[in-house]
Amino acid sequence: GENVEQHPSTLSVQEGDSAVIKCTYSDSASNYFPWYKQELGKRPQLIIDIRSNVGEKKDQRIAVTLNKTAKHFSLHITETQPEDSAVYFCAASINGNNRLAFGKGNQVVVIP
Amino acid sequence: GAVVSQHPSWVICKSGTSVKIECRSLDFQATTMFWYRQFPKQSLMLMATSNEGSKATYEQGVEKDKFLINHASLTLSTLTVTSAHPEDSSFYICRVQGLGDYGYTFGSGTRLTVV
């Protein structure tokens, strides 16, 4: 089955700096890669996603890049702000269908 | 955007009792609902996939007789934790998919504590 690995497990950055989280996946049939932000005690919120026919996608301060050959994708947050502090989960579709396998999450702390 | 309601938001129950969790899509028809479990500071683990009107598909290692899933309508799926034990204490959360997309919306989650 799909195995999604997420690194690093924790990341601290100074406010205004950039943060990068990387994920790798194992299933070559995976074709959908969403990123979720989860604040303590709340539901995960989709922040950006990318499909396998695209290499990069950007939405304001957030971008995602995908390398299908290497089977990894990354989340980039620029100009970080304290409200970006949360746990971020990457996910990959399983067998190219609508089920998702999640990474273990990354705790991002933005230091004011 | 899609609105998904999950109820209850938290519940405390005694060992051996059963607990039912509801997941409702309020403004669209949910063809598929996914149930996840999340232990503290851990990832979301997919438990099962339910399609309206058919039996749920369980992931490996998830006991179907313990975690009963019913998806009787296009707007409601329920997860019943039967004969709950303390090790079942967790955060249970649904994810909902409508027609033609992968489904971006999670329910608000249910914090289950079994004492």
PDB file of all heavy atoms in Angstrom, chain A residues 85-100:
ATOM      1  N   SER A  85       1.695  28.884  12.579  1.00  0.00           N
ATOM      2  CA  SER A  85       2.055  27.824  13.525  1.00  0.00           C
ATOM      3  C   SER A  85       0.913  26.814  13.618  1.00  0.00           C
ATOM      4  O   SER A  85      -0.231  27.168  13.918  1.00  0.00           O
ATOM      5  CB  SER A  85       2.330  28.409  14.913  1.00  0.00           C
ATOM      6  OG  SER A  85       3.439  29.290  14.883  1.00  0.00           O
ATOM      7  N   ALA A  86       1.231  25.557  13.339  1.00  0.00           N
ATOM      8  CA  ALA A  86       0.214  24.491  13.324  1.00  0.00           C
ATOM      9  C   ALA A  86       0.923  23.190  12.975  1.00  0.00           C
ATOM     10  O   ALA A  86       2.135  23.159  12.766  1.00  0.00           O
ATOM     11  CB  ALA A  86      -0.886  24.792  12.300  1.00  0.00           C
ATOM     12  N   VAL A  87       0.129  22.129  12.899  1.00  0.00           N
ATOM     13  CA  VAL A  87       0.640  20.859  12.365  1.00  0.00           C
ATOM     14  C   VAL A  87       0.207  20.767  10.911  1.00  0.00           C
ATOM     15  O   VAL A  87      -0.963  21.002  10.591  1.00  0.00           O
ATOM     16  CB  VAL A  87       0.114  19.655  13.165  1.00  0.00           C
ATOM     17  CG1 VAL A  87       0.612  18.349  12.545  1.00  0.00           C
ATOM     18  CG2 VAL A  87       0.560  19.751  14.618  1.00  0.00           C
ATOM     19  N   TYR A  88       1.142  20.433  10.061  1.00  0.00           N
ATOM     20  CA  TYR A  88       0.857  20.307   8.630  1.00  0.00           C
ATOM     21  C   TYR A  88       0.988  18.842   8.226  1.00  0.00           C
ATOM     22  O   TYR A  88       1.969  18.182   8.541  1.00  0.00           O
ATOM     23  CB  TYR A  88       1.833  21.172   7.815  1.00  0.00           C
ATOM     24  CG  TYR A  88       1.595  22.645   8.005  1.00  0.00           C
ATOM     25  CD1 TYR A  88       2.106  23.317   9.114  1.00  0.00           C
ATOM     26  CD2 TYR A  88       0.834  23.371   7.092  1.00  0.00           C
ATOM     27  CE1 TYR A  88       1.876  24.666   9.313  1.00  0.00           C
ATOM     28  CE2 TYR A  88       0.596  24.730   7.270  1.00  0.00           C
ATOM     29  CZ  TYR A  88       1.120  25.365   8.382  1.00  0.00           C
ATOM     30  OH  TYR A  88       0.877  26.708   8.574  1.00  0.00           O
ATOM     31  N   PHE A  89      -0.020  18.350   7.525  1.00  0.00           N
ATOM     32  CA  PHE A  89      -0.027  16.968   7.051  1.00  0.00           C
ATOM     33  C   PHE A  89       0.001  16.952   5.527  1.00  0.00           C
ATOM     34  O   PHE A  89      -0.765  17.670   4.882  1.00  0.00           O
ATOM     35  CB  PHE A  89      -1.291  16.239   7.502  1.00  0.00           C
ATOM     36  CG  PHE A  89      -1.371  15.959   8.968  1.00  0.00           C
ATOM     37  CD1 PHE A  89      -2.078  16.789   9.809  1.00  0.00           C
ATOM     38  CD2 PHE A  89      -0.731  14.849   9.509  1.00  0.00           C
ATOM     39  CE1 PHE A  89      -2.160  16.538  11.166  1.00  0.00           C
ATOM     40  CE2 PHE A  89      -0.803  14.583  10.869  1.00  0.00           C
ATOM     41  CZ  PHE A  89      -1.508  15.434  11.698  1.00  0.00           C
ATOM     42  N   CYS A  90       0.864  16.108   4.986  1.00  0.00           N
ATOM     43  CA  CYS A  90       0.780  15.837   3.558  1.00  0.00           C
ATOM     44  C   CYS A  90       0.001  14.538   3.372  1.00  0.00           C
ATOM     45  O   CYS A  90      -0.135  13.749   4.305  1.00  0.00           O
ATOM     46  CB  CYS A  90       2.158  15.717   2.936  1.00  0.00           C
ATOM     47  SG  CYS A  90       3.155  14.327   3.556  1.00  0.00           S
ATOM     48  N   ALA A  91      -0.500  14.338   2.196  1.00  0.00           N
ATOM     49  CA  ALA A  91      -1.237  13.114   1.892  1.00  0.00           C
ATOM     50  C   ALA A  91      -1.061  12.778   0.424  1.00  0.00           C
ATOM     51  O   ALA A  91      -0.742  13.644  -0.395  1.00  0.00           O
ATOM     52  CB  ALA A  91      -2.717  13.272   2.234  1.00  0.00           C
ATOM     53  N   ALA A  92      -1.273  11.521   0.117  1.00  0.00           N
ATOM     54  CA  ALA A  92      -1.191  11.061  -1.269  1.00  0.00           C
ATOM     55  C   ALA A  92      -2.327  10.090  -1.523  1.00  0.00           C
ATOM     56  O   ALA A  92      -2.678   9.297  -0.632  1.00  0.00           O
ATOM     57  CB  ALA A  92       0.152  10.395  -1.529  1.00  0.00           C
ATOM     58  N   SER A  93      -2.882  10.155  -2.707  1.00  0.00           N
ATOM     59  CA  SER A  93      -3.979   9.245  -3.039  1.00  0.00           C
ATOM     60  C   SER A  93      -3.442   7.820  -3.137  1.00  0.00           C
ATOM     61  O   SER A  93      -2.296   7.579  -3.526  1.00  0.00           O
ATOM     62  CB  SER A  93      -4.658   9.665  -4.344  1.00  0.00           C
ATOM     63  OG  SER A  93      -3.727   9.682  -5.419  1.00  0.00           O
ATOM     64  N   ILE A  94      -4.307   6.871  -2.781  1.00  0.00           N
ATOM     65  CA  ILE A  94      -3.932   5.458  -2.767  1.00  0.00           C
ATOM     66  C   ILE A  94      -4.436   4.796  -4.036  1.00  0.00           C
ATOM     67  O   ILE A  94      -5.626   4.882  -4.350  1.00  0.00           O
ATOM     68  CB  ILE A  94      -4.531   4.765  -1.526  1.00  0.00           C
ATOM     69  CG1 ILE A  94      -4.029   5.444  -0.253  1.00  0.00           C
ATOM     70  CG2 ILE A  94      -4.192   3.284  -1.516  1.00  0.00           C
ATOM     71  CD1 ILE A  94      -4.736   4.968   1.006  1.00  0.00           C
ATOM     72  N   ASN A  95      -3.537   4.147  -4.752  1.00  0.00           N
ATOM     73  CA  ASN A  95      -3.915   3.434  -5.975  1.00  0.00           C
ATOM     74  C   ASN A  95      -4.622   4.338  -6.979  1.00  0.00           C
ATOM     75  O   ASN A  95      -5.450   3.877  -7.759  1.00  0.00           O
ATOM     76  CB  ASN A  95      -4.816   2.229  -5.656  1.00  0.00           C
ATOM     77  CG  ASN A  95      -4.082   1.157  -4.893  1.00  0.00           C
ATOM     78  OD1 ASN A  95      -2.877   0.980  -5.072  1.00  0.00           O
ATOM     79  ND2 ASN A  95      -4.795   0.439  -4.053  1.00  0.00           N
ATOM     80  N   GLY A  96      -4.310   5.644  -6.922  1.00  0.00           N
ATOM     81  CA  GLY A  96      -4.916   6.562  -7.873  1.00  0.00           C
ATOM     82  C   GLY A  96      -6.399   6.798  -7.669  1.00  0.00           C
ATOM     83  O   GLY A  96      -7.061   7.346  -8.539  1.00  0.00           O
ATOM     84  N   ASN A  97      -6.919   6.395  -6.509  1.00  0.00           N
ATOM     85  CA  ASN A  97      -8.345   6.644  -6.274  1.00  0.00           C
ATOM     86  C   ASN A  97      -8.532   7.699  -5.196  1.00  0.00           C
ATOM     87  O   ASN A  97      -7.634   8.478  -4.914  1.00  0.00           O
ATOM     88  CB  ASN A  97      -9.071   5.327  -5.939  1.00  0.00           C
ATOM     89  CG  ASN A  97      -8.582   4.694  -4.656  1.00  0.00           C
ATOM     90  OD1 ASN A  97      -8.141   5.374  -3.737  1.00  0.00           O
ATOM     91  ND2 ASN A  97      -8.643   3.378  -4.595  1.00  0.00           N
ATOM     92  N   ASN A  98      -9.696   7.732  -4.590  1.00  0.00           N
ATOM     93  CA  ASN A  98     -10.016   8.844  -3.718  1.00  0.00           C
ATOM     94  C   ASN A  98      -9.657   8.618  -2.255  1.00  0.00           C
ATOM     95  O   ASN A  98      -9.957   9.447  -1.407  1.00  0.00           O
ATOM     96  CB  ASN A  98     -11.508   9.181  -3.854  1.00  0.00           C
ATOM     97  CG  ASN A  98     -12.385   7.954  -3.630  1.00  0.00           C
ATOM     98  OD1 ASN A  98     -11.924   6.930  -3.146  1.00  0.00           O
ATOM     99  ND2 ASN A  98     -13.656   8.065  -3.971  1.00  0.00           N
ATOM    100  N   ARG A  99      -9.047   7.500  -1.944  1.00  0.00           N
ATOM    101  CA  ARG A  99      -8.576   7.303  -0.581  1.00  0.00           C
ATOM    102  C   ARG A  99      -7.235   7.995  -0.419  1.00  0.00           C
ATOM    103  O   ARG A  99      -6.440   8.062  -1.344  1.00  0.00           O
ATOM    104  CB  ARG A  99      -8.437   5.801  -0.283  1.00  0.00           C
ATOM    105  CG  ARG A  99      -9.764   5.065  -0.263  1.00  0.00           C
ATOM    106  CD  ARG A  99      -9.614   3.596  -0.622  1.00  0.00           C
ATOM    107  NE  ARG A  99      -8.755   2.886   0.304  1.00  0.00           N
ATOM    108  CZ  ARG A  99      -7.763   2.073  -0.089  1.00  0.00           C
ATOM    109  NH1 ARG A  99      -7.513   1.920  -1.371  1.00  0.00           N
ATOM    110  NH2 ARG A  99      -7.035   1.429   0.808  1.00  0.00           N
ATOM    111  N   LEU A 100      -6.998   8.513   0.788  1.00  0.00           N
ATOM    112  CA  LEU A 100      -5.759   9.234   1.052  1.00  0.00           C
ATOM    113  C   LEU A 100      -4.974   8.573   2.166  1.00  0.00           C
ATOM    114  O   LEU A 100      -5.534   8.154   3.173  1.00  0.00           O
ATOM    115  CB  LEU A 100      -6.051  10.679   1.464  1.00  0.00           C
ATOM    116  CG  LEU A 100      -6.671  11.604   0.434  1.00  0.00           C
ATOM    117  CD1 LEU A 100      -6.911  12.990   1.053  1.00  0.00           C
ATOM    118  CD2 LEU A 100      -5.774  11.739  -0.790  1.00  0.00           C
TER     119      LEU A 100
END
